[in-house]
């Protein structure tokens, strides 16, 4: 049995100073980088990351966003906002991350399982090809893309756990609702949601 780590959307636009910032995003980016550094080749056989990578996502971009389905322009492919946060980027460029999955080119695509790597391989197929059965999910934001990725992991047949110490949510109420969703779906959780 092999365990993998999925790092969700630790990108500039989702951290302080970005176009859709989540309070505490930069701090979580640093904590995740430390986790990756300590765990690569140890606790986790493989570590993968997701990136919002919008080209033309239609109604996902809005001048009057509802912050559920529509948001201000963010993570535009090729833009600085779509790049990994500087706290986390060295883990990727230094080879600690085994694959990156791009999602949302022409849609909202909150879940990393809707993305594909540079070769067009889906996350599900990549994880199965590498004999991963259990996944830990961390990143930004607990109540949005971390939520969608963890729920889709279970739907795809993986055992999933969200590490709350390494994830940050947008708002306390939606994060609390997300934890209920996890319980109903069979997603395990560990740690505590960082104070907001």
């Amino acid at each position: 049995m092999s365990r993998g780590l999925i790092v969700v959307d630790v990108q500039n636009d989702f951290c302080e100073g970005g176009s859709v910032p989540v309070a505490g995003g930069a701090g979580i980016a640093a904590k995740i980088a430390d986790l990756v550094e300590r765990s690569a080749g140890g606790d986790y056989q493989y570590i993968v990351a997701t990136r919002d990578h919008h080209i033309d996502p239609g109604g996902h971009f809005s001048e009057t966003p509802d912050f559920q389905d529509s948001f201000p322009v963010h993570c535009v492919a090729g833009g600085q906002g779509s790049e990994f946060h500087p706290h986390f980027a060295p883990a990727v460029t230094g080879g600690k991350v085994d694959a990156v999955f791009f999602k949302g080119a022409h849609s909202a695509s909150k879940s990393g399982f809707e993305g594909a790597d540079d070769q067009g391989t889906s996350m599900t197929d990549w994880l199965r090809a590498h004999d991963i059965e259990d996944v830990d999910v961390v990143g930004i934001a607990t109540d949005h893309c971390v939520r969608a990725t963890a729920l889709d992991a279970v739907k795809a047949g993986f055992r999933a756990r969200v590490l709350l110490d390494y994830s940050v949510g947008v708002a306390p109420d939606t994060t609390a609702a997300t934890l209920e969703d996890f319980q109903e779906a069979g997603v395990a959780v560990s740690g505590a949601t960082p104070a907001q």
Side-chain angles (χ1 to χ4, degrees):
M1 180 176 64
S2 297
R3 180 175 294 277
L5 178 67
I6 302 173
V7 179
V8 177
D9 296 1
V10 182
Q11 295 168 262
N12 288 326
D13 271 347
F14 297 136
C15 296
E16 293 83 350
S19 63
V20 191
V22 178
I28 284 296
K31 286 187 70 174
I32 291 171
D34 181 62
L35 174 67
V36 168
E37 191 67 34
R38 288 185 286 109
S39 303
D43 293 344
Y44 300 109
Q45 281 67 39
Y46 294 99
I47 297 172
V48 302
T50 71
R51 276 178 65 171
D52 246 17
H53 185 75
H54 296 308
I55 297 171
D56 181 15
H60 186 53
F61 285 172
S62 174
E63 293 181 5
T64 56
D66 63 14
F67 293 95
Q68 285 299 317
D69 298 311
S70 60
F71 293 84
V73 174
H74 62 279
C75 296
V76 174
Q80 184 62 30
S82 73
E83 296 297 322
F84 288 119
H85 188 274
H87 290 337
F88 177 65
V92 180
T93 58
K96 301 291 186 183
V97 173
D98 298 293
V100 176
F101 296 87
F102 299 88
K103 60 188 178 68
H106 300 284
S107 65
S109 292
K110 289 187 176 184
S111 169
F113 284 87
E114 296 174 303
D117 67 9
D118 285 334
Q119 287 73 47
T121 304
S122 72
M123 183 182 288
T124 299
D125 289 346
W126 194 97
L127 292 172
R128 289 199 174 125
H130 291 81
D131 298 321
I132 297 296
E133 297 178 10
D134 294 74
V135 294
D136 285 351
V137 185
V138 301
I140 307 171
T142 309
D143 41 351
H144 288 276
C145 295
V146 170
R147 174 187 181 277
T149 300
L151 293 175
D152 276 0
V154 170
K155 289 177 187 173
F158 300 97
R159 287 182 290 270
R161 177 176 64 175
V162 172
L163 307 183
L164 296 176
D165 292 337
Y166 298 92
S167 305
V168 63
V170 172
D173 57 341
T174 50
T175 299
T178 292
L179 297 182
E180 292 179 7
D181 293 339
F182 287 162
Q183 185 173 12
E184 290 177 11
V187 175
V189 297
S190 74
T193 304
Q196 294 175 310

